[in-house]
Amino acid sequence: MKRPLLSVIIPCYNEAATLPLILDQVEAVDLDKEIIIVDDHSTDETPAILAELRRSRPHITVIRHPHNRGKGAAVRSGLVHACGEITIVQDADLEYDPQDYYELVKPIASGRVDVVFGSRFLGRHTGMYFWNALGNKFLTFLTNFLFNCWISDMETCYKVIRTDILRDLQLESNDFRIEPEIAAKVLRRGYRIYEVPVSYLGRTYEEGKKMKPIQGFYAIWALFKYRFWW
């Protein structure tokens, strides 16, 4: 059986309103891929939607956590099942556009680099809160300072990495600290991050946005941890 080019891991928690839509968008991408959905013990209609998906789209892998553990844990669960040469994480909301996969995957598939980040600040974006944007800028600055690199969007969801490298990072974060952990570890290993502009349509907290200000402090701690004590 031919190994797929791309493994798409979709962590989800209470995303019944957007999950079918984002799944249709991912499936519309004309790349050889597999789709792995990890339900982090949703309490809305997400489990029922996924049960129907198991029947109607048996080619999709569906995993359900027995209790809520966080985005990082969902990513790690999905990675266990990933068979593709390259892995990308796709949030289950509609903030990121899967049509950007083509440009994200190309530099790795062509052998130029091993790690690609999709930068919201280099691409088209709207709907980002001022303080969230400022926090992202600060965390990216701190990443650049600590690891002597120059990237524009450390917190991006679109971190596209060769699957063997991602596994070798031995990820351990359960929550949103998975983002700085991945960035810090690939930089500590000496991999260069190639950035590609992506489009971003931020949603509001009323629409289900889950990132909270406290996560910024957790991210700072993670960056220092993986720079000096890992």
Side-chain angles (χ1 to χ4, degrees):
M1 182 177 178
K2 182 182 176 183
R3 184 182 183 188
L5 170 68
L6 187 64
S7 292
V8 183
I9 299 175
I10 306 179
C12 62
Y13 177 67
N14 290 347
E15 300 288 3
T18 58
L19 182 58
L21 299 173
I22 195 64
L23 184 56
D24 287 342
Q25 291 181 19
V26 171
E27 290 209 295
V29 175
D30 188 19
L31 290 172
D32 184 16
K33 62 186 178 297
E34 63 174 359
I35 300 173
I36 304 166
I37 303 175
V38 184
D39 175 24
D40 195 28
H41 202 75
S42 296
T43 56
D44 65 354
E45 294 301 311
T46 298
I49 292 171
L50 292 177
E52 174 58 30
L53 281 176
R54 282 195 179 99
R55 292 189 291 270
S56 61
R57 309 187 198 187
H59 59 283
I60 295 175
T61 300
V62 177
I63 303 163
R64 177 169 166 82
H65 283 169
H67 56 271
N68 183 255
R69 297 169 59 195
K71 178 180 179 178
V75 170
R76 294 190 291 113
S77 293
L79 186 58
V80 171
H81 297 266
C83 297
E85 299 172 33
I86 303 168
T87 293
I88 184 171
V89 176
Q90 172 69 58
D91 284 348
D93 53 34
L94 300 174
E95 291 188 329
Y96 290 83
D97 186 356
Q99 285 297 310
D100 287 323
Y101 288 5
Y102 301 106
E103 293 300 318
L104 290 165
V105 169
K106 189 186 300 182
I108 302 178
S110 64
R112 296 173 59 197
V113 294
D114 299 307
V115 180
V116 173
F117 281 15
S119 173
R120 295 165 290 179
F121 298 107
L122 296 178
R124 300 177 300 274
H125 64 270
T126 188
M128 187 178 292
Y129 289 104
F130 170 78
W131 291 111
N132 284 12
L134 195 63
N136 281 328
K137 289 287 188 180
F138 173 75
L139 292 173
T140 299
F141 168 80
L142 186 60
T143 303
N144 289 331
F145 177 78
L146 291 174
F147 296 92
N148 191 28
C149 63
W150 191 250
I151 58 176
S152 62
D153 192 2
M154 182 278 289
E155 283 282 346
T156 179
C157 164
Y158 277 170
K159 294 177 170 68
V160 189
I161 306 175
R162 274 179 33 206
T163 304
D164 60 327
I165 292 174
L166 192 57
R167 282 205 175 98
D168 192 51
L169 297 181
Q170 300 178 359
L171 300 173
E172 59 185 14
S173 297
N174 282 338
D175 55 19
F176 287 107
R177 276 170 280 196
I178 195 72
E179 307 294 1
E181 180 184 359
I182 291 173
K185 286 185 172 181
V186 297
L187 290 166
R188 278 289 301 271
R189 295 285 180 90
Y191 295 106
R192 294 181 302 164
I193 296 174
Y194 186 87
E195 286 193 298
V196 170
V198 297
S199 57
Y200 178 76
L201 181 61
R203 63 177 175 173
T204 66
Y205 287 106
E206 290 75 21
E207 292 171 322
K209 190 174 185 65
K210 298 180 175 66
M211 182 65 70
K212 305 298 182 185
I214 189 64
Q215 297 295 335
F217 295 100
Y218 293 157
I220 293 170
W221 164 244
L223 287 171
F224 277 96
K225 172 184 176 181
Y226 294 114
R227 173 62 181 88
F228 296 110
W229 299 291
W230 175 76

